[in-house]
């Protein structure tokens, strides 16, 4: 399973800019995976990498902001319920 996101790059494919993320795995291997795939598997981890590195629109910055906002609300609800 995925452990961390360690980098990012943009690859040009047929005049399109496609964002890729460097993913670290449990078995200590690394792969470059398209952002679309990583978003589905680990949305909060992907969103925090995008925000932390202040990545641009091609990395779906607005999506990342929405995901982190929703995750914050869920954490707040869980904290209130635990009290």
């Amino acid at each position: 399973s995925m452990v961390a996101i360690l980098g990012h790059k943009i690859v040009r494919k047929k005049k399109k800019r496609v964002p890729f993320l460097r993913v670290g795995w449990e078995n200590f291997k690394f792969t470059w995976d398209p952002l679309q795939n990583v978003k589905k598997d680990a949305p909060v981890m992907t969103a925090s990498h995008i925000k932390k590195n202040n990545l641009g629109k091609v990395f779906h910055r607005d999506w990342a902001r929405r995901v982190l906002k929703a995750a914050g609300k869920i954490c707040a609800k869980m904290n209130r319920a635990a009290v």
Side-chain angles (χ1 to χ4, degrees):
S1 86
M2 186 185 314
V3 176
I5 297 174
L6 304 165
H8 52 272
K9 69 179 178 181
I10 295 175
V11 176
R12 288 199 176 275
K13 288 188 176 182
K14 298 181 183 176
K15 296 186 180 182
K16 277 187 152 188
R17 296 167 59 203
V18 181
F20 278 77
L21 296 174
R22 186 168 190 231
V23 177
W25 298 95
E26 238 174 27
N27 60 3
F28 303 107
K29 299 204 182 207
F30 306 99
T31 57
W32 285 100
D33 296 324
L35 173 67
Q36 291 289 20
N37 296 354
V38 183
K39 272 173 60 172
K40 292 175 188 166
D41 294 340
V44 176
M45 187 187 304
T46 305
S48 31
H49 178 80
I50 291 169
K51 184 174 184 203
K52 182 176 80 176
N53 292 284
N54 198 24
L55 300 179
K57 192 172 186 173
V58 72
F59 280 94
H60 304 210
R61 182 178 46 210
D62 296 335
W63 166 85
R65 192 175 296 121
R66 286 193 309 272
V67 167
L68 292 174
K69 188 175 181 180
K73 286 180 181 179
I74 291 169
C75 289
K77 279 184 182 179
M78 290 174 71
N79 286 338
R80 283 194 302 270
V83 174

